[in-house]
Amino acid sequence: MKRVKEAVKEIKQVARKEPAVAAEGAVILLEKLSPALEQVDSSSGAIGSAVNKAIESLAPIIAKAEVDPKTRQRWMERLWQALQDDDIPYIELLGDHWGELCATPEIASYWADEFLPTLNTVWSRKGSGFTYFKGTSACLASLSAAARHDELLALLNQSPYKWWAYRQWGVQALVAQGKLEEAIRFAEDSRGRNEPDGQISERCEAILLSMGQHEEAYSRFALQANNKTTHLATFRALVRKYPNKSAESILNDLIASTPGDEGRWFAAAKDAGLYEMAIQVARSSPCDPRTLTRAARDFSEKQPLFACEAGLLALHWISEGYGYDITGKDVLDAYSAATKAASLADTEPDLVDASIRPMYTAHDGQFMERVLGRYVPKA
């Protein structure tokens, strides 16, 4: 993985001054990747992810290089051979970039004609079991790049599978023809088990936004289309994309979309300055104790009442057995943050202690008592 990244970095550096040389290097690297990696254990999928990122970086370099048609055709022939020899497979994502790699509609049309007979034959065998052609994505991408939209849609109608990986090209063709409502219906009809609902919603959302239908885009697709790796990132993405909606209304919609997991939106509410809502969701369902402790520590001076509540909730969820690899230090950190915030909020220390004592009878109460017993003895 390190060597793949180094090779891509080197090619990018050359591309700044000698784009054609860099493109030739990119083609050579793509030819060598699969044979070089096929004997390496990649059961985790990490190498495959690294190769996919490499393809995403290399494809534009090859596409943008200004070379004569014969040179580009030779590159395409070499890349097609590499795709056919890719047994693992590692570089199959290259097919999605085929139209881009062709660089001109004429070359794209040539490759579409090359692929079409085989793909038509494969897809005409409906009911004869699973059939696969390595040039399927490349064929669809070529038809799209050649603006042969009607042919592309007719071909997809022959497909024995409603796979989004293929049908996304149909959506693109309908959008190119200005048939936006039909494109949304076509995308929606692509949903099914194991299909990427988030990607489908993202495409539909983008179409509606391009039509100026922001409310419909939000109500129908936004929550699923903007689902990021963290709840905070999801919230921020929606706030950026829909500036006419208040952060509070967006957050309420997100909270409602995850019943039983309201606590996961604590950081988003805090980030938006919605402190009462943040405490409310942290009470409603489990929230990471360390996240709560950090909030208690960071806001002890700016929002001491909020910080005190956050610290006490961190202790509450620790006492209920939540948190990963919780130690005595985590308990003491939460207690220290809560008591400091309480003093800044002019809250009586006894009130903090009174909130902590009932936690000694909870799921992990004995652990809590061992750590805090000398600071907060049982009444």
Side-chain angles (χ1 to χ4, degrees):
M1 289 165 59
K2 181 182 177 183
R3 292 294 296 121
V4 169
K5 292 176 183 176
E6 289 173 349
V8 172
K9 182 180 179 181
E10 179 182 337
I11 290 169
K12 283 182 173 179
Q13 289 172 342
V14 173
R16 294 169 189 163
K17 294 184 178 180
E18 299 180 272
V21 174
E24 174 68 27
V27 173
I28 293 171
L29 177 58
L30 289 168
E31 287 178 305
K32 291 178 176 292
L33 273 176
S34 194
L37 296 171
E38 63 183 1
Q39 300 300 323
V40 181
D41 176 28
S42 182
S43 53
S44 69
I47 293 179
S49 296
V51 172
N52 286 343
K53 289 179 182 177
I55 292 171
E56 296 286 355
S57 298
L58 297 173
I61 292 173
I62 299 171
K64 292 175 184 176
E66 294 182 4
V67 295
D68 60 85
K70 288 184 178 180
T71 299
R72 184 163 297 278
Q73 188 70 304
R74 284 197 297 270
W75 285 349
M76 301 305 293
E77 289 168 358
R78 288 162 58 187
L79 291 173
W80 173 230
Q81 188 61 53
L83 262 177
Q84 292 184 88
D85 296 340
D86 181 35
D87 294 329
I88 297 299
Y90 272 117
I91 62 170
E92 63 179 342
L93 184 64
L94 202 59
D96 289 345
H97 295 273
W98 205 260
E100 176 188 4
L101 294 168
C102 288
T104 68
E106 292 76 20
I107 295 177
S109 192
Y110 167 85
W111 280 98
D113 290 336
E114 286 290 302
F115 295 133
L116 272 170
T118 304
L119 186 55
N120 274 317
T121 300
V122 169
W123 276 2
S124 66
R125 298 171 183 166
K126 293 183 180 180
S128 61
F130 179 79
T131 52
Y132 178 69
F133 170 47
K134 287 188 175 183
T136 300
S137 293
C139 180
L140 299 173
S142 298
L143 286 169
S144 178
R148 291 163 60 173
H149 304 308
D150 289 332
E151 283 182 79
L152 173 54
L153 292 165
L155 181 64
L156 286 170
N157 284 333
Q158 298 178 38
S159 172
Y161 323 107
K162 279 192 174 182
W163 290 350
W164 175 246
Y166 299 158
R167 289 173 64 85
Q168 62 178 320
W169 297 105
V171 174
Q172 189 166 313
L174 290 166
V175 169
Q177 292 177 327
K179 301 175 182 178
L180 303 185
E181 293 287 355
E182 191 175 339
I184 292 172
R185 289 194 295 272
F186 191 86
E188 288 275 71
D189 192 46
S190 306
R191 297 189 190 275
R193 190 169 67 177
N194 300 323
E195 294 304 309
D197 284 332
Q199 292 179 26
I200 295 171
S201 292
E202 187 176 6
R203 192 71 181 94
C204 293
E205 179 198 38
I207 294 170
L208 285 172
L209 289 175
S210 73
M211 298 165 65
Q213 298 183 21
H214 295 265
E215 282 299 323
E216 186 176 357
Y218 178 83
S219 62
R220 290 178 62 183
F221 303 113
L223 299 191
Q224 191 173 60
N226 295 279
N227 191 18
K228 306 299 181 184
T229 53
T230 68
H231 288 66
L232 177 58
T234 297
F235 170 69
R236 286 176 174 172
L238 285 165
V239 169
R240 283 195 301 271
K241 191 175 285 187
Y242 295 93
N244 293 329
K245 296 192 72 67
S246 71
E248 186 172 4
S249 67
I250 290 174
L251 191 53
N252 275 321
D253 290 337
L254 289 169
I255 292 167
S257 72
T258 58
D261 273 337
E262 295 87 351
R264 295 181 181 273
W265 298 104
F266 170 82
K270 171 179 68 67
D271 188 68
L274 301 170
Y275 302 114
E276 289 186 14
M277 183 182 291
I279 294 300
Q280 183 181 349
V281 297
R283 284 193 188 121
S284 299
S285 72
C287 183
D288 178 54
R290 292 191 183 97
T291 300
L292 291 163
T293 298
R294 280 194 299 273
R297 183 177 61 246
D298 295 345
F299 285 82
S300 60
E301 295 184 5
K302 293 181 287 185
Q303 294 286 335
L305 285 174
F306 163 75
C308 182
E309 288 279 3
L312 289 172
L313 281 167
L315 292 170
H316 165 73
W317 290 117
I318 290 173
S319 74
E320 293 293 338
Y322 291 95
Y324 180 73
D325 279 349
I326 295 295
T327 65
K329 183 180 183 301
D330 294 310
V331 176
L332 290 172
D333 285 347
Y335 176 70
S336 174
T339 53
K340 179 183 176 181
S343 67
L344 292 171
D346 295 326
T347 301
E348 290 292 330
D350 287 347
L351 294 177
V352 174
D353 293 351
S355 298
I356 292 173
R357 288 189 183 99
M359 300 178 193
Y360 292 165
T361 61
H363 181 272
D364 274 357
Q366 290 183 346
F367 167 61
M368 289 277 295
E369 187 178 359
R370 283 199 306 272
V371 178
L372 292 180
R374 60 176 173 162
Y375 304 101
V376 187
K378 277 188 176 180

